Coordinates of all heavy atoms in Angstrom, one line a residue:
M1 N -44.5 51.7 -70.8 CA -44.4 51.3 -69.4 C -43.0 51.1 -69.0 O -42.6 51.5 -67.9 CB -45.2 50.0 -69.2 CG -45.7 49.9 -67.7 SD -46.6 51.3 -67.1 CE -46.0 51.4 -65.4
K2 N -42.2 50.5 -69.8 CA -40.8 50.2 -69.6 C -40.1 51.6 -69.2 O -39.3 51.6 -68.3 CB -40.1 49.6 -70.8 CG -39.2 48.5 -70.5 CD -38.7 47.8 -71.7 CE -38.2 46.4 -71.4 NZ -37.9 45.6 -72.5
H3 N -40.4 52.6 -70.0 CA -39.7 53.8 -69.8 C -40.0 54.4 -68.4 O -39.1 54.9 -67.8 CB -40.2 54.8 -70.9 CG -39.4 56.0 -71.1 ND1 -38.2 56.0 -71.8 CD2 -39.4 57.3 -70.6 CE1 -37.6 57.1 -71.8 NE2 -38.3 57.9 -71.0
G4 N -41.2 54.3 -68.0 CA -41.6 54.8 -66.6 C -40.8 54.1 -65.5 O -40.4 54.7 -64.6
L5 N -40.7 52.8 -65.6 CA -39.9 52.0 -64.6 C -38.5 52.5 -64.5 O -37.9 52.6 -63.5 CB -40.1 50.5 -64.9 CG -41.4 49.9 -64.5 CD1 -41.4 48.4 -64.9 CD2 -41.6 50.0 -63.0
I6 N -37.9 52.7 -65.7 CA -36.5 53.1 -65.7 C -36.3 54.5 -65.1 O -35.4 54.7 -64.3 CB -36.0 53.1 -67.2 CG1 -35.9 51.7 -67.7 CG2 -34.6 53.8 -67.2 CD1 -35.7 51.6 -69.2
G7 N -37.3 55.3 -65.3 CA -37.3 56.7 -64.7 C -37.4 56.6 -63.2 O -36.6 57.2 -62.5
L8 N -38.3 55.8 -62.7 CA -38.4 55.6 -61.3 C -37.2 55.0 -60.6 O -36.8 55.5 -59.6 CB -39.7 54.7 -61.0 CG -40.0 54.5 -59.5 CD1 -40.3 55.8 -58.9 CD2 -41.2 53.5 -59.4
A9 N -36.6 54.1 -61.3 CA -35.4 53.5 -60.7 C -34.3 54.5 -60.6 O -33.5 54.6 -59.6 CB -34.9 52.3 -61.6
A10 N -34.2 55.4 -61.6 CA -33.2 56.4 -61.6 C -33.4 57.4 -60.4 O -32.5 57.8 -59.7 CB -33.2 57.2 -62.9
V11 N -34.7 57.7 -60.2 CA -35.0 58.6 -59.1 C -34.7 58.0 -57.7 O -34.0 58.6 -56.9 CB -36.5 59.0 -59.1 CG1 -36.9 59.7 -57.8 CG2 -36.8 59.9 -60.3
C12 N -35.0 56.7 -57.6 CA -34.7 56.0 -56.3 C -33.2 55.9 -56.1 O -32.7 56.1 -55.0 CB -35.3 54.6 -56.3 SG -37.1 54.6 -56.1
A13 N -32.4 55.6 -57.2 CA -31.0 55.5 -57.0 C -30.4 56.9 -56.6 O -29.5 56.9 -55.7 CB -30.4 55.1 -58.4
T14 N -30.9 58.0 -57.1 CA -30.4 59.3 -56.7 C -30.8 59.5 -55.3 O -30.0 60.0 -54.5 CB -31.1 60.4 -57.6 OG1 -30.9 60.0 -59.0 CG2 -30.5 61.7 -57.4
F15 N -32.0 59.2 -54.9 CA -32.5 59.4 -53.5 C -31.6 58.6 -52.5 O -31.1 59.1 -51.5 CB -33.9 58.9 -53.4 CG -34.6 59.1 -52.1 CD1 -34.5 60.4 -51.5 CD2 -35.2 58.1 -51.4 CE1 -35.1 60.6 -50.3 CE2 -35.8 58.3 -50.2 CZ -35.8 59.6 -49.6
A16 N -31.3 57.3 -52.9 CA -30.4 56.4 -52.0 C -29.1 57.0 -51.9 O -28.5 57.1 -50.8 CB -30.4 55.0 -52.7
F17 N -28.5 57.6 -53.0 CA -27.2 58.1 -52.9 C -27.2 59.4 -52.0 O -26.3 59.5 -51.2 CB -26.7 58.6 -54.3 CG -25.4 59.2 -54.3 CD1 -24.2 58.4 -54.2 CD2 -25.2 60.5 -54.4 CE1 -23.0 58.9 -54.2 CE2 -24.0 61.1 -54.4 CZ -22.8 60.3 -54.3
T18 N -28.2 60.2 -52.1 CA -28.3 61.4 -51.3 C -28.3 61.0 -49.8 O -27.6 61.6 -49.0 CB -29.5 62.2 -51.6 OG1 -29.5 62.4 -53.0 CG2 -29.5 63.6 -50.9
L19 N -29.2 60.0 -49.4 CA -29.3 59.6 -48.1 C -28.0 59.0 -47.6 O -27.5 59.3 -46.5 CB -30.3 58.5 -47.9 CG -31.8 59.0 -47.8 CD1 -32.7 57.8 -47.7 CD2 -32.0 59.9 -46.6
H20 N -27.3 58.3 -48.4 CA -26.1 57.6 -48.0 C -25.0 58.7 -47.7 O -24.3 58.6 -46.8 CB -25.6 56.7 -49.1 CG -24.6 55.7 -48.7 ND1 -24.9 54.3 -48.9 CD2 -23.5 55.7 -48.0 CE1 -23.9 53.6 -48.3 NE2 -23.0 54.5 -47.8
A21 N -25.0 59.7 -48.5 CA -24.1 60.8 -48.3 C -24.3 61.5 -47.0 O -23.4 62.0 -46.3 CB -24.2 61.8 -49.5
Q22 N -25.6 61.6 -46.5 CA -25.9 62.3 -45.3 C -25.4 61.4 -44.1 O -24.7 61.9 -43.3 CB -27.4 62.5 -45.2 CG -27.8 63.7 -46.0 CD -29.3 63.8 -46.1 OE1 -30.0 62.9 -45.6 NE2 -29.8 64.9 -46.7
A23 N -25.9 60.2 -44.0 CA -25.6 59.4 -42.8 C -26.0 57.9 -43.2 O -27.1 57.6 -43.6 CB -26.4 59.8 -41.6
A24 N -25.0 57.1 -43.0 CA -25.2 55.7 -43.4 C -26.4 55.0 -42.6 O -27.1 54.2 -43.2 CB -23.9 54.9 -43.2
D25 N -26.5 55.4 -41.4 CA -27.6 54.7 -40.6 C -29.0 55.2 -40.9 O -29.9 54.5 -40.5 CB -27.3 54.8 -39.0 CG -27.3 56.3 -38.5 OD1 -27.5 57.2 -39.4 OD2 -27.2 56.5 -37.3
D26 N -29.1 56.2 -41.7 CA -30.4 56.6 -42.2 C -31.0 55.6 -43.2 O -32.2 55.5 -43.4 CB -30.4 58.0 -42.9 CG -30.4 59.1 -41.8 OD1 -30.7 58.8 -40.7 OD2 -30.1 60.2 -42.2
M27 N -30.1 54.8 -43.8 CA -30.5 53.9 -44.8 C -31.5 52.9 -44.3 O -32.4 52.4 -45.1 CB -29.3 53.2 -45.4 CG -28.4 54.1 -46.2 SD -29.3 54.7 -47.7 CE -29.4 53.3 -48.7
A28 N -31.4 52.5 -43.1 CA -32.2 51.4 -42.5 C -33.7 51.8 -42.6 O -34.6 51.0 -42.7 CB -31.8 51.2 -41.1
G29 N -34.0 53.1 -42.4 CA -35.4 53.5 -42.4 C -36.0 53.9 -43.7 O -37.1 54.3 -43.9
M30 N -35.2 53.7 -44.8 CA -35.6 54.2 -46.1 C -36.6 53.2 -46.7 O -36.5 52.0 -46.6 CB -34.4 54.2 -47.0 CG -34.8 54.7 -48.4 SD -33.3 54.7 -49.4 CE -34.1 55.0 -51.0
Q31 N -37.7 53.8 -47.2 CA -38.7 53.0 -47.9 C -38.8 53.5 -49.3 O -38.9 54.7 -49.6 CB -40.0 53.1 -47.2 CG -40.0 52.4 -45.9 CD -41.4 52.5 -45.2 OE1 -42.0 53.5 -45.3 NE2 -41.8 51.5 -44.5
M32 N -38.9 52.5 -50.3 CA -39.0 52.9 -51.7 C -40.5 53.3 -51.9 O -41.4 52.5 -51.7 CB -38.7 51.7 -52.6 CG -37.2 51.5 -52.6 SD -36.3 52.9 -53.5 CE -34.7 52.3 -53.5
K33 N -40.7 54.5 -52.4 CA -42.0 55.0 -52.7 C -42.0 55.7 -54.0 O -40.9 56.3 -54.3 CB -42.6 55.9 -51.6 CG -43.0 55.2 -50.3 CD -43.7 56.2 -49.4 CE -42.7 56.7 -48.4 NZ -43.2 57.7 -47.4
P34 N -43.0 55.7 -54.8 CA -43.0 56.5 -56.0 C -42.7 58.0 -55.6 O -43.2 58.5 -54.6 CB -44.4 56.4 -56.6 CG -45.0 55.1 -55.9 CD -44.3 55.0 -54.6
A35 N -41.9 58.6 -56.4 CA -41.5 60.0 -56.1 C -42.7 60.9 -55.9 O -42.6 61.8 -55.0 CB -40.6 60.5 -57.2
A36 N -43.8 60.7 -56.6 CA -44.9 61.6 -56.5 C -45.5 61.7 -55.1 O -46.1 62.7 -54.7 CB -46.0 61.2 -57.5
S37 N -45.5 60.6 -54.3 CA -46.2 60.5 -53.1 C -45.3 60.9 -51.9 O -45.7 61.0 -50.8 CB -46.8 59.2 -52.8 OG -45.7 58.3 -52.5
T38 N -44.0 61.2 -52.1 CA -43.1 61.6 -51.0 C -43.2 63.1 -50.9 O -43.3 63.8 -51.8 CB -41.7 61.2 -51.3 OG1 -41.2 61.7 -52.5 CG2 -41.5 59.7 -51.3
S39 N -43.1 63.6 -49.6 CA -42.9 65.0 -49.4 C -41.9 65.1 -48.3 O -41.8 64.3 -47.4 CB -44.2 65.7 -49.0 OG -44.7 65.2 -47.7
A40 N -41.0 66.1 -48.4 CA -39.9 66.3 -47.5 C -40.4 66.6 -46.1 O -41.4 67.3 -46.0 CB -39.0 67.3 -48.0
P41 N -39.8 66.1 -45.1 CA -40.2 66.4 -43.7 C -40.1 67.9 -43.5 O -39.1 68.5 -43.8 CB -39.2 65.7 -42.8 CG -38.7 64.6 -43.7 CD -38.7 65.1 -45.1
K42 N -41.2 68.5 -42.9 CA -41.2 69.9 -42.5 C -41.4 70.1 -41.0 O -42.1 69.2 -40.5 CB -42.3 70.6 -43.3 CG -41.9 71.1 -44.7 CD -43.0 71.9 -45.3 CE -43.9 71.0 -46.2 NZ -45.0 71.7 -46.8
P43 N -40.9 71.1 -40.4 CA -41.1 71.3 -39.0 C -42.6 71.4 -38.7 O -43.3 72.1 -39.4 CB -40.3 72.5 -38.6 CG -39.3 72.7 -39.7 CD -40.0 72.1 -41.0
V44 N -43.0 70.8 -37.6 CA -44.4 70.8 -37.2 C -44.5 71.4 -35.8 O -43.7 71.0 -35.0 CB -45.0 69.4 -37.2 CG1 -46.5 69.3 -36.7 CG2 -45.0 68.8 -38.7
E45 N -45.5 72.2 -35.6 CA -45.7 72.8 -34.2 C -46.2 71.7 -33.3 O -47.1 71.0 -33.7 CB -46.7 74.0 -34.3 CG -46.3 75.0 -35.3 CD -46.2 76.4 -34.7 OE1 -46.9 76.6 -33.6 OE2 -45.5 77.3 -35.2
A46 N -45.7 71.7 -32.1 CA -46.2 70.7 -31.1 C -46.0 71.2 -29.7 O -45.3 72.2 -29.5 CB -45.4 69.4 -31.3
E47 N -46.7 70.5 -28.8 CA -46.6 70.8 -27.4 C -46.1 69.6 -26.7 O -46.6 68.5 -26.9 CB -48.0 71.2 -26.8 CG -47.9 71.7 -25.4 CD -49.3 71.9 -24.8 OE1 -50.2 72.5 -25.5 OE2 -49.6 71.4 -23.7
V48 N -45.1 69.7 -25.8 CA -44.5 68.6 -25.1 C -45.5 68.2 -24.0 O -45.8 69.1 -23.1 CB -43.1 68.9 -24.5 CG1 -42.6 67.8 -23.7 CG2 -42.2 69.3 -25.7
R49 N -45.9 67.0 -24.0 CA -46.8 66.5 -22.9 C -46.1 65.7 -21.9 O -46.4 65.8 -20.7 CB -48.0 65.7 -23.5 CG -49.0 66.5 -24.2 CD -49.7 67.5 -23.2 NE -50.6 68.4 -23.8 CZ -51.9 68.1 -24.0 NH1 -52.4 66.9 -23.7 NH2 -52.7 69.0 -24.5
K50 N -45.1 64.9 -22.3 CA -44.4 64.1 -21.4 C -43.0 63.8 -22.0 O -42.9 63.5 -23.2 CB -45.2 62.8 -21.2 CG -44.8 62.1 -19.8 CD -45.9 61.1 -19.5 CE -45.6 60.3 -18.2 NZ -45.4 61.1 -17.1
V51 N -42.0 63.8 -21.2 CA -40.6 63.5 -21.6 C -40.2 62.2 -20.9 O -40.3 62.1 -19.7 CB -39.6 64.6 -21.3 CG1 -38.2 64.2 -21.7 CG2 -40.0 65.9 -22.0
D52 N -39.9 61.1 -21.6 CA -39.5 59.9 -21.1 C -38.1 59.6 -21.5 O -37.8 58.9 -22.4 CB -40.4 58.8 -21.6 CG -40.1 57.4 -21.0 OD1 -39.1 57.3 -20.2 OD2 -40.8 56.4 -21.3
A53 N -37.1 60.3 -20.8 CA -35.7 60.3 -21.2 C -35.2 58.8 -21.0 O -34.3 58.4 -21.9 CB -34.9 61.2 -20.3
A54 N -35.6 58.1 -20.0 CA -35.1 56.7 -19.8 C -35.3 55.9 -21.0 O -34.5 55.0 -21.4 CB -35.8 56.1 -18.6
N55 N -36.5 56.1 -21.7 CA -36.8 55.2 -22.9 C -36.5 56.0 -24.2 O -36.8 55.5 -25.3 CB -38.2 54.7 -22.8 CG -38.4 53.8 -21.7 OD1 -37.7 52.7 -21.6 ND2 -39.3 54.1 -20.8
G56 N -36.1 57.2 -24.1 CA -35.8 58.0 -25.4 C -37.1 58.3 -26.1 O -37.1 58.3 -27.3
K57 N -38.2 58.6 -25.3 CA -39.4 58.9 -26.0 C -40.0 60.2 -25.5 O -39.8 60.6 -24.4 CB -40.4 57.7 -25.8 CG -39.9 56.4 -26.3 CD -41.0 55.5 -26.8 CE -40.4 54.4 -27.6 NZ -40.9 53.1 -27.2
V58 N -40.9 60.8 -26.3 CA -41.6 62.0 -25.9 C -43.0 61.9 -26.4 O -43.3 61.4 -27.5 CB -40.8 63.2 -26.5 CG1 -40.9 63.2 -28.1 CG2 -41.4 64.5 -26.0
T59 N -43.9 62.4 -25.5 CA -45.3 62.5 -25.9 C -45.6 63.9 -26.4 O -45.3 64.8 -25.7 CB -46.2 62.1 -24.7 OG1 -45.9 60.8 -24.3 CG2 -47.7 62.1 -25.2
L60 N -46.1 64.0 -27.6 CA -46.3 65.3 -28.2 C -47.8 65.4 -28.6 O -48.4 64.5 -29.2 CB -45.5 65.5 -29.5 CG -43.9 65.5 -29.3 CD1 -43.3 65.6 -30.6 CD2 -43.5 66.7 -28.4
K61 N -48.3 66.6 -28.4 CA -49.6 67.0 -29.0 C -49.2 67.8 -30.3 O -48.7 68.9 -30.2 CB -50.4 67.9 -28.1 CG -51.7 68.3 -28.6 CD -52.5 69.2 -27.7 CE -53.8 69.6 -28.3 NZ -54.4 70.7 -27.5
H62 N -49.3 67.1 -31.4 CA -48.7 67.7 -32.6 C -49.8 68.1 -33.7 O -50.9 67.5 -33.7 CB -47.7 66.7 -33.3 CG -48.4 65.4 -33.8 ND1 -49.0 65.3 -35.0 CD2 -48.4 64.2 -33.3 CE1 -49.4 64.1 -35.2 NE2 -49.1 63.4 -34.1
G63 N -49.4 69.0 -34.5 CA -50.2 69.4 -35.6 C -50.1 68.4 -36.7 O -49.4 67.4 -36.5
P64 N -50.8 68.6 -37.9 CA -50.7 67.6 -38.9 C -49.3 67.4 -39.4 O -48.6 68.4 -39.6 CB -51.6 68.2 -40.0 CG -52.4 69.2 -39.3 CD -51.6 69.7 -38.2
I65 N -48.9 66.1 -39.6 CA -47.6 65.8 -40.1 C -47.8 65.4 -41.6 O -48.1 64.2 -41.8 CB -46.9 64.7 -39.3 CG1 -46.9 65.1 -37.8 CG2 -45.5 64.4 -39.8 CD1 -46.4 63.9 -36.9
E66 N -47.5 66.3 -42.5 CA -47.8 66.1 -43.9 C -47.0 64.9 -44.5 O -47.6 64.1 -45.2 CB -47.4 67.4 -44.6 CG -48.4 67.8 -45.7 CD -48.0 69.1 -46.3 OE1 -48.3 70.2 -45.7 OE2 -47.3 69.1 -47.3
N67 N -45.7 64.9 -44.2 CA -44.9 63.8 -44.8 C -45.2 62.4 -44.3 O -44.8 61.4 -44.9 CB -43.4 64.1 -44.7 CG -43.0 64.3 -43.2 OD1 -43.5 65.1 -42.5 ND2 -42.1 63.4 -42.8
L68 N -45.9 62.3 -43.2 CA -46.3 61.0 -42.7 C -47.8 60.7 -42.9 O -48.3 59.7 -42.6 CB -46.0 60.8 -41.2 CG -44.6 60.9 -40.7 CD1 -44.5 60.7 -39.3 CD2 -43.7 59.9 -41.5
G69 N -48.5 61.7 -43.5 CA -50.0 61.6 -43.7 C -50.7 61.4 -42.4 O -51.7 60.7 -42.3
M70 N -50.2 62.1 -41.3 CA -50.9 62.0 -40.0 C -51.6 63.2 -39.6 O -51.0 64.3 -39.6 CB -49.7 61.6 -39.0 CG -50.3 61.2 -37.7 SD -48.9 61.0 -36.5 CE -48.3 59.4 -37.0
P71 N -52.8 63.1 -39.2 CA -53.5 64.3 -38.7 C -53.0 64.7 -37.3 O -52.3 64.0 -36.7 CB -55.0 63.8 -38.6 CG -54.9 62.4 -38.4 CD -53.6 61.9 -39.1
A72 N -53.5 65.9 -36.8 CA -53.1 66.4 -35.5 C -53.6 65.4 -34.4 O -54.7 64.8 -34.6 CB -53.8 67.7 -35.3
M73 N -52.8 65.1 -33.4 CA -53.2 64.2 -32.4 C -52.1 64.3 -31.3 O -51.1 64.9 -31.4 CB -53.3 62.8 -32.9 CG -51.9 62.2 -33.3 SD -52.1 60.5 -33.9 CE -52.6 60.8 -35.6
T74 N -52.4 63.6 -30.2 CA -51.4 63.4 -29.1 C -50.9 62.0 -29.1 O -51.7 61.1 -29.0 CB -52.0 63.8 -27.7 OG1 -52.5 65.1 -27.8 CG2 -51.0 63.7 -26.6
M75 N -49.6 61.8 -29.2 CA -49.1 60.5 -29.2 C -47.6 60.5 -28.8 O -47.0 61.5 -28.7 CB -49.2 59.8 -30.6 CG -48.4 60.5 -31.7 SD -48.7 59.8 -33.3 CE -47.5 58.4 -33.2
R76 N -47.1 59.3 -28.5 CA -45.7 59.1 -28.1 C -44.8 58.7 -29.2 O -45.2 57.9 -30.1 CB -45.7 57.9 -27.1 CG -44.8 57.9 -26.0 CD -45.3 56.9 -24.9 NE -44.5 55.7 -24.9 CZ -43.6 55.5 -24.0 NH1 -43.3 56.4 -23.1 NH2 -42.9 54.4 -24.1
F77 N -43.7 59.3 -29.3 CA -42.7 59.1 -30.4 C -41.3 58.7 -29.8 O -40.9 59.3 -28.8 CB -42.5 60.3 -31.2 CG -43.6 60.8 -32.0 CD1 -44.5 61.7 -31.5 CD2 -43.8 60.3 -33.3 CE1 -45.6 62.2 -32.3 CE2 -44.9 60.7 -34.1 CZ -45.8 61.7 -33.6
P78 N -40.6 57.8 -30.5 CA -39.2 57.6 -30.2 C -38.5 58.9 -30.7 O -38.9 59.5 -31.7 CB -38.8 56.4 -30.9 CG -39.9 56.1 -31.9 CD -41.1 56.8 -31.5
V79 N -37.4 59.2 -30.1 CA -36.6 60.4 -30.6 C -35.2 59.9 -31.0 O -34.6 59.1 -30.4 CB -36.4 61.4 -29.4 CG1 -35.6 62.6 -29.8 CG2 -37.8 61.9 -28.9
K80 N -34.9 60.4 -32.2 CA -33.6 59.9 -32.8 C -32.4 60.4 -32.0 O -31.5 59.6 -31.7 CB -33.5 60.5 -34.3 CG -32.6 59.7 -35.1 CD -32.6 60.2 -36.6 CE -31.5 59.6 -37.4 NZ -31.4 60.3 -38.7
D81 N -32.4 61.7 -31.7 CA -31.3 62.2 -30.9 C -31.7 62.3 -29.4 O -32.3 63.3 -29.0 CB -30.9 63.6 -31.5 CG -29.9 64.3 -30.6 OD1 -29.2 63.6 -29.8 OD2 -29.8 65.5 -30.7
K82 N -31.4 61.3 -28.7 CA -31.9 61.2 -27.3 C -31.4 62.4 -26.4 O -32.1 62.8 -25.5 CB -31.4 59.9 -26.6 CG -31.5 58.6 -27.4 CD -32.9 58.0 -27.4 CE -32.9 56.7 -28.2 NZ -33.9 56.7 -29.3
A83 N -30.3 62.9 -26.8 CA -29.7 64.1 -26.0 C -30.7 65.3 -26.1 O -30.7 66.1 -25.2 CB -28.3 64.4 -26.5
S84 N -31.4 65.4 -27.2 CA -32.3 66.5 -27.4 C -33.4 66.6 -26.3 O -34.0 67.6 -26.0 CB -32.9 66.6 -28.8 OG -33.7 65.5 -29.0
L85 N -33.7 65.4 -25.7 CA -34.8 65.3 -24.7 C -34.5 66.2 -23.5 O -35.3 66.7 -22.8 CB -35.0 63.9 -24.3 CG -35.7 63.0 -25.3 CD1 -35.7 61.6 -24.9 CD2 -37.1 63.5 -25.6
A86 N -33.2 66.3 -23.2 CA -32.7 67.1 -22.0 C -33.1 68.5 -22.1 O -33.3 69.2 -21.0 CB -31.2 66.9 -21.8
R87 N -33.3 69.0 -23.3 CA -33.6 70.5 -23.5 C -35.1 70.7 -23.4 O -35.6 71.9 -23.5 CB -33.1 71.0 -24.8 CG -31.6 70.8 -25.0 CD -31.1 71.7 -26.1 NE -31.7 71.3 -27.4 CZ -31.1 70.4 -28.2 NH1 -30.0 69.9 -28.0 NH2 -31.7 70.1 -29.4
L88 N -35.9 69.7 -23.3 CA -37.4 69.8 -23.4 C -38.0 69.9 -22.0 O -37.7 69.2 -21.1 CB -38.0 68.7 -24.2 CG -37.5 68.4 -25.6 CD1 -38.1 67.2 -26.2 CD2 -37.7 69.7 -26.4
K89 N -39.0 70.8 -22.0 CA -39.8 70.9 -20.7 C -41.3 70.6 -21.0 O -41.8 71.0 -22.0 CB -39.8 72.4 -20.2 CG -38.5 72.8 -19.6 CD -38.6 74.1 -18.8 CE -37.3 74.6 -18.3 NZ -36.5 75.2 -19.3
E90 N -41.8 69.8 -20.1 CA -43.2 69.4 -20.3 C -44.1 70.7 -20.3 O -43.9 71.6 -19.5 CB -43.6 68.4 -19.2 CG -43.0 67.1 -19.4 CD -43.2 66.0 -18.3 OE1 -44.0 66.3 -17.4 OE2 -42.5 65.0 -18.4
G91 N -45.0 70.8 -21.2 CA -45.9 71.9 -21.4 C -45.4 73.0 -22.3 O -46.1 73.9 -22.6
S92 N -44.1 72.8 -22.8 CA -43.5 73.9 -23.6 C -43.9 73.6 -25.1 O -44.2 72.5 -25.5 CB -42.0 74.0 -23.4 OG -41.4 72.8 -23.9
R93 N -43.8 74.7 -25.9 CA -44.0 74.6 -27.3 C -42.7 74.3 -28.1 O -41.7 74.8 -27.7 CB -44.6 75.9 -27.9 CG -45.8 76.4 -27.2 CD -47.1 75.7 -27.6 NE -47.2 75.6 -29.1 CZ -48.1 74.9 -29.7 NH1 -49.0 74.2 -29.0 NH2 -48.2 74.8 -31.0
V94 N -42.8 73.4 -29.0 CA -41.6 73.0 -29.8 C -42.0 73.0 -31.3 O -43.1 73.0 -31.7 CB -41.1 71.7 -29.4 CG1 -40.5 71.7 -28.0 CG2 -42.1 70.6 -29.5
R95 N -40.9 72.9 -32.1 CA -41.0 72.6 -33.5 C -40.3 71.3 -33.7 O -39.1 71.2 -33.4 CB -40.4 73.7 -34.4 CG -41.3 75.0 -34.4 CD -40.6 76.1 -35.1 NE -40.6 76.0 -36.5 CZ -41.7 76.3 -37.3 NH1 -42.8 76.8 -36.7 NH2 -41.7 76.1 -38.5
A96 N -41.0 70.3 -34.3 CA -40.5 69.0 -34.4 C -40.6 68.6 -35.9 O -41.5 68.9 -36.6 CB -41.2 68.0 -33.5
T97 N -39.6 67.8 -36.3 CA -39.6 67.2 -37.6 C -39.7 65.7 -37.4 O -39.1 65.1 -36.5 CB -38.3 67.5 -38.4 OG1 -38.1 68.9 -38.3 CG2 -38.4 67.1 -39.8
F98 N -40.5 65.0 -38.2 CA -40.8 63.6 -38.1 C -40.5 62.9 -39.3 O -40.6 63.4 -40.4 CB -42.3 63.4 -37.8 CG -42.8 64.1 -36.6 CD1 -43.3 65.4 -36.7 CD2 -42.9 63.5 -35.3 CE1 -43.7 66.1 -35.6 CE2 -43.3 64.2 -34.2 CZ -43.8 65.5 -34.4
D99 N -40.0 61.6 -39.2 CA -39.8 60.8 -40.3 C -39.9 59.3 -39.9 O -39.8 59.1 -38.7 CB -38.4 61.1 -41.0 CG -38.4 60.8 -42.5 OD1 -39.4 60.2 -43.0 OD2 -37.5 61.3 -43.1
K100 N -40.0 58.4 -40.9 CA -40.0 57.0 -40.5 C -38.6 56.5 -40.4 O -37.8 56.7 -41.3 CB -40.8 56.2 -41.5 CG -42.3 56.6 -41.5 CD -43.1 55.3 -41.7 CE -44.6 55.7 -41.3 NZ -45.5 54.6 -41.6
V101 N -38.3 55.9 -39.2 CA -37.0 55.2 -39.0 C -37.3 53.8 -38.8 O -38.0 53.5 -37.8 CB -36.3 55.9 -37.9 CG1 -35.0 55.1 -37.6 CG2 -36.0 57.3 -38.2
N102 N -36.8 52.9 -39.6 CA -37.2 51.4 -39.5 C -38.7 51.2 -39.5 O -39.2 50.4 -38.7 CB -36.5 50.8 -38.3 CG -35.0 50.9 -38.3 OD1 -34.4 50.8 -39.4 ND2 -34.4 51.1 -37.2
G103 N -39.4 52.1 -40.3 CA -40.9 51.9 -40.4 C -41.6 52.5 -39.2 O -42.9 52.5 -39.2
V104 N -40.9 53.2 -38.3 CA -41.6 53.7 -37.1 C -41.5 55.3 -37.2 O -40.5 55.8 -37.4 CB -40.9 53.3 -35.8 CG1 -41.6 53.9 -34.6 CG2 -41.0 51.8 -35.7
A105 N -42.7 55.9 -37.0 CA -42.7 57.4 -36.9 C -41.8 57.9 -35.8 O -42.1 57.5 -34.6 CB -44.2 57.9 -36.8
T106 N -40.8 58.7 -36.1 CA -39.8 59.1 -35.2 C -39.6 60.6 -35.2 O -39.7 61.2 -36.3 CB -38.5 58.3 -35.5 OG1 -38.7 56.9 -35.4 CG2 -37.3 58.7 -34.6
V107 N -39.3 61.2 -34.1 CA -38.9 62.6 -34.1 C -37.4 62.6 -34.5 O -36.5 62.1 -33.8 CB -39.0 63.2 -32.7 CG1 -38.5 64.6 -32.6 CG2 -40.5 63.1 -32.2
T108 N -37.2 63.3 -35.6 CA -35.8 63.4 -36.1 C -35.1 64.7 -35.7 O -33.9 64.8 -35.7 CB -35.7 63.2 -37.7 OG1 -36.6 64.2 -38.3 CG2 -36.1 61.8 -38.1
S109 N -35.9 65.7 -35.4 CA -35.3 66.9 -34.8 C -36.4 67.6 -33.9 O -37.6 67.5 -34.3 CB -34.8 67.8 -35.8 OG -35.8 68.6 -36.4
I110 N -36.0 68.2 -32.8 CA -37.0 68.9 -32.0 C -36.3 70.0 -31.3 O -35.2 69.9 -30.7 CB -37.6 67.8 -31.0 CG1 -38.7 68.5 -30.2 CG2 -36.6 67.2 -30.1 CD1 -39.7 67.5 -29.5
E111 N -36.9 71.2 -31.4 CA -36.3 72.4 -30.9 C -37.3 73.2 -30.2 O -38.5 73.3 -30.6 CB -35.7 73.3 -32.0 CG -34.6 72.7 -32.8 CD -33.3 72.5 -31.9 OE1 -33.2 73.3 -30.9 OE2 -32.6 71.6 -32.2
P112 N -37.0 73.8 -29.0 CA -37.9 74.7 -28.3 C -38.3 75.8 -29.3 O -37.5 76.3 -30.0 CB -37.1 75.2 -27.1 CG -36.1 74.2 -26.9 CD -35.7 73.6 -28.3
E113 N -39.5 76.3 -29.2 CA -40.0 77.4 -30.1 C -39.5 78.7 -29.6 O -39.4 78.9 -28.4 CB -41.5 77.4 -30.1 CG -42.0 77.6 -31.5 CD -43.6 77.5 -31.5 OE1 -44.2 78.0 -30.7 OE2 -44.0 76.9 -32.5
Ligands
CU201 CU1 -49.6 61.3 -34.4

């Protein structure tokens, strides 16, 4: 059992270092999970239902988000890069990437299809 814990700690340390190298502010949203249950965020097809630029939020009808364990649904998300909202049109198709930021499901990238 001791051996397994040491292995997990090493994986987490590597993960933390990688995140840190990317952007220091990403660290706030990091959650320690066993390596086996994490999956890297992948672009998900979605339709823009509503753009709320004033609050930095977007309502998306999205397909299944594997890395968050979320089935297809329509819901509102905060957007990490608020400037990206200016490029979105209600009713248009997009490819969006989602991740947890401070424990909240957040759009980390969104591009018109
Ligand atoms: Cu959802």
